[in-house]
Amino acid sequence: MNDLGWIDPVLGAARPQVMGALLRYFRNLDTAEEAFQEACLRALKNWPQNGPPRDPAAWLILVGRNAALDQVRRQTRMTQLPDEAVLSDLDDAEASLADRLDGEHYKDDILRLLFVCCHPDLPATQQIAMALRIVCGLSVKQIAQAFLVSEAAMEQRVTRAKARIGSAGVAFETPGAPERAERLAVVAAMIYLLFNEGYSSGNSREAEARKPLAEEAIWLVRLLLRLFPTEPEIMGLTALMLLQRSRTKARFDKDGNIVLLEDQDRSLWSQPRIAEGLALIDKAMRHRRPGPYQIQAAIAALHARAKYAEETDWAQIDLLYANLERLQPSPVVTLNRAVAVSKVKGAQAALDMIEPLGERLRSYFHFHGVKGALLEKLERPDEARKAFGQAIALANTPAEAAHIRQHLDRLSAG
């Protein structure tokens, strides 16, 4: 296999399982990370020649564990493991390990790893950043973008969190039920951020490369739902992710560019995912304990229930965003609500709503894009061009910039 592009996604998708198992073995984050990196290096050497193993996670766990043990034995002058040629001949060992995956609770290893990263000794922002970095292997730059902070600030946050975990004598056992409940919110937030890293891609190639992240997030939230089957917010989060994921095939055109929700071919939406998501949000709402994830899922459900974009119940979406603003005040929530308000009350009402957000969202691409679109509707072309220009300057991807340029082209043509 000369094309090595397939290896990186495989390693990324296997990372949570492998890191969780290695942490269970060694109970030290640095040791687990080093073991995983060594296993990845050996995979890059071995897999191009021999092809991918039957179970990449099992292969990486075994190689990483052996490499770390080898290092420990070298340091303690114990008997060394066999050489690389013997270690690389893993067919029998890998098959045996793969057969034991369910019995050894490797899926629970991931949740244990999440709970360690979300330890209460860490501030919430550090908990989520640690989980994204250690469990999911996202780069510091990717995490910084999710938090809307600078890369340098996020680097400091991750470094401090690792130091605090290392000095706090954190227990690596899976927490009991009371501790689990305390950490549930921050674990759910981390999983949703992970989902967005996999789902919110700027073009079809990037979306395909990040697909394992979104699928891993859905798998993790299902696991969380099994642990907390009566928790309506986890039902809501699961529904939200399924409803958003249902639109995957319609999100990009034939050239790989983003297609906005209202322009998507809804016949391409995944009906099984929509059905499951709708059933979950309906079940969650019957508990009468509304939360942010349930409200966001209810908004997504209204989009999913509309056969055509013109049938969308924007008035109800406006009310739901108003409730979300009360539960979780945020300028981004208000910006999203303004889109619904523009559909119900007109562009001027929406513009009046977002004008006070200018200072807090001055570095936020979507703020300037929405503002430009509203000004365009109000036939204020000079102001619209200025807003679109600011949006292009802040675009995170070429696809985002290209979408804004379409608005500018329309203004020029007019």
Side-chain angles (χ1 to χ4, degrees), residues 18-94:
V18 178
M19 280 291 297
L22 293 173
L23 183 66
R24 174 162 53 84
Y25 287 137
F26 300 111
R27 303 192 171 210
N28 181 284
L29 279 172
D30 288 334
T31 302
E33 275 199 288
E34 290 169 6
F36 177 74
Q37 292 302 325
E38 180 61 29
C40 288
L41 289 173
R42 296 191 186 191
L44 290 170
K45 178 180 179 181
N46 181 275
W47 294 0
Q49 298 175 4
N50 302 326
R54 188 184 73 176
D55 189 318
W59 193 100
L60 292 164
I61 290 165
L62 188 60
V63 170
R65 183 185 62 181
N66 287 346
L69 288 173
D70 189 19
Q71 182 63 25
V72 170
R73 288 169 179 171
R74 288 178 189 276
Q75 291 173 349
T76 55
R77 299 173 185 250
M78 295 174 66
T79 304
Q80 296 181 9
L81 290 175
D83 61 25
E84 173 67 26
V86 176
L87 275 176
S88 296
D89 187 13
L90 296 171
D91 289 343
D92 292 339
E94 177 206 328

Side-chain angles (χ1 to χ4, degrees), residues 122-169:
L122 299 177
T125 52
Q126 289 186 9
Q127 292 173 350
I128 298 171
M130 275 293 290
L132 287 169
R133 180 74 192 99
I134 300 299
V135 183
C136 309
L138 299 185
S139 69
V140 171
K141 181 178 180 181
Q142 288 174 312
I143 302 171
Q145 289 175 344
F147 278 94
L148 301 177
V149 300
S150 70
E151 191 171 345
M154 184 54 65
E155 182 70 58
Q156 286 186 336
R157 192 177 297 178
V158 171
T159 300
R160 288 170 184 165
K162 290 183 73 173
R164 185 171 293 188
I165 286 180
S167 63

Side-chain angles (χ1 to χ4, degrees), residues 154-228:
M154 184 54 65
E155 182 70 58
Q156 286 186 336
R157 192 177 297 178
V158 171
T159 300
R160 288 170 184 165
K162 290 183 73 173
R164 185 171 293 188
I165 286 180
S167 63
V170 174
F172 289 100
E173 287 76 17
T174 303
E179 264 189 299
R180 279 179 178 170
E182 290 174 6
R183 301 188 206 175
L184 185 58
V186 75
V187 171
M190 190 289 305
I191 291 175
Y192 191 43
L193 280 176
L194 169 59
F195 174 79
N196 282 324
E197 281 296 328
Y199 179 74
S200 302
S201 302
N203 56 65
S204 58
R205 272 182 91 179
E206 184 180 312
E208 187 61 30
R210 292 188 176 187
K211 181 179 177 180
L213 294 177
E215 294 301 327
E216 190 67 26
I218 290 175
W219 180 84
L220 284 171
V221 80
R222 289 187 190 279
L223 178 57
L224 210 57
L225 186 59
R226 287 201 296 273
L227 288 172
F228 298 91

Side-chain angles (χ1 to χ4, degrees), residues 281 285 294-303 305-306 311-326 336-337 339-341 343-345:
I281 188 55
M285 298 299 277
Q294 293 172 74
I295 293 175
Q296 291 175 78
I299 292 169
L302 287 171
H303 287 296
R305 287 187 166 107
E311 298 176 357
T312 305
D313 189 346
W314 287 106
Q316 186 62 31
I317 290 175
D318 178 23
L319 291 174
L320 287 168
Y321 270 123
N323 286 326
L324 186 59
E325 278 184 309
R326 286 192 288 271
N336 289 335
R337 184 187 175 192
V339 175
V341 168
K343 304 288 187 179
V344 178
K345 301 176 182 178

